[in-house]
Amino acid sequence: MSQVAEVKLTTGASTITREMNKRYLAIRVNLRDVDLTSFMKEAHAKIDKNVKYNHEKFNIQWGGQFENQVRAYTRLAFIVPLSLMIIFLLLYGAFGKLRQAATLMGIIPLALFGGMLALNVRGMTLNVSSAVVLSLCLGFHSERNYHFLAY
């Protein structure tokens, strides 16, 4: 542990925790001034480089918010393309012409670029909540442009 963190000895409750009949040690981290993804990349790199341990006897699992983020990105990787296909089918059904539906779908990358630019200007990173908001903005964008072309 001392290879990647500052270890201090303090007094407190002494417990041996077990899960599935195996001992485990949970380490909690509170992040400041760094996003979760950057921290995890740096932590993985430092542990791989600096910590030597028997991989057959010990394993490292990353949980908590990181696990939730990975699970959410996995869901978004399925839901976002599916929603874009549904939007395209609805536009094609509304106009009856492939050209108009494709024109509206062709403008979506510009909306994504604008959203990413806004995140960058604000100094924010792409996280789950901003990805959900971007997908909602794509739906609003498609509806607004539908009304523009329809009327």
Side-chain angles (χ1 to χ4, degrees):
M1 290 294 295
S2 64
Q3 296 173 348
V4 293
E6 181 181 328
V7 178
K8 295 179 184 178
L9 183 62
T10 60
T11 58
S14 176
T15 59
I16 298 175
T17 52
R18 297 182 188 281
E19 187 173 295
M20 296 179 66
N21 207 19
K22 294 182 179 179
R23 286 185 183 182
Y24 78 92
L25 173 67
I27 300 173
R28 297 181 63 187
V29 177
N30 292 321
L31 300 178
R32 292 186 186 151
D33 301 327
V34 67
D35 64 300
L36 182 61
T37 305
S38 300
F39 171 78
M40 292 304 293
K41 286 180 183 176
E42 184 179 343
H44 279 287
K46 283 188 177 182
I47 287 175
D48 290 342
K49 180 181 177 185
N50 298 329
V51 179
K52 308 296 183 224
Y53 65 96
N54 186 347
H55 291 277
E56 294 175 7
K57 290 185 179 181
F58 303 100
N59 65 356
I60 298 175
Q61 294 179 341
W62 302 90
Q65 290 297 323
F66 178 71
E67 184 179 19
N68 294 337
Q69 181 177 347
V70 168
R71 192 171 33 244
Y73 279 141
T74 304
R75 287 183 186 152
L76 282 173
F78 174 73
I79 290 171
V80 170
L82 179 66
S83 64
L84 289 174
M85 287 187 336
I86 291 172
I87 289 171
F88 179 77
L89 291 174
L90 290 172
L91 289 172
Y92 180 71
F95 290 117
K97 295 182 180 177
L98 186 64
R99 181 177 175 216
Q100 288 177 327
T103 300
L104 287 177
M105 292 302 288
I107 298 171
I108 286 180
L110 293 174
L112 284 175
F113 176 75
M116 297 302 289
L117 182 65
L119 285 174
N120 195 12
V121 166
R122 294 283 321 258
M124 300 170 68
T125 59
L126 179 67
N127 53 29
V128 175
S129 60
S130 52
V132 169
V133 169
L134 279 175
S135 66
L136 287 172
C137 288
L138 291 179
F140 293 137
H141 166 76
S142 298
E143 181 183 5
R144 185 183 51 154
N145 285 332
Y146 164 76
H147 290 297
F148 179 73
L149 281 179
Y151 302 108

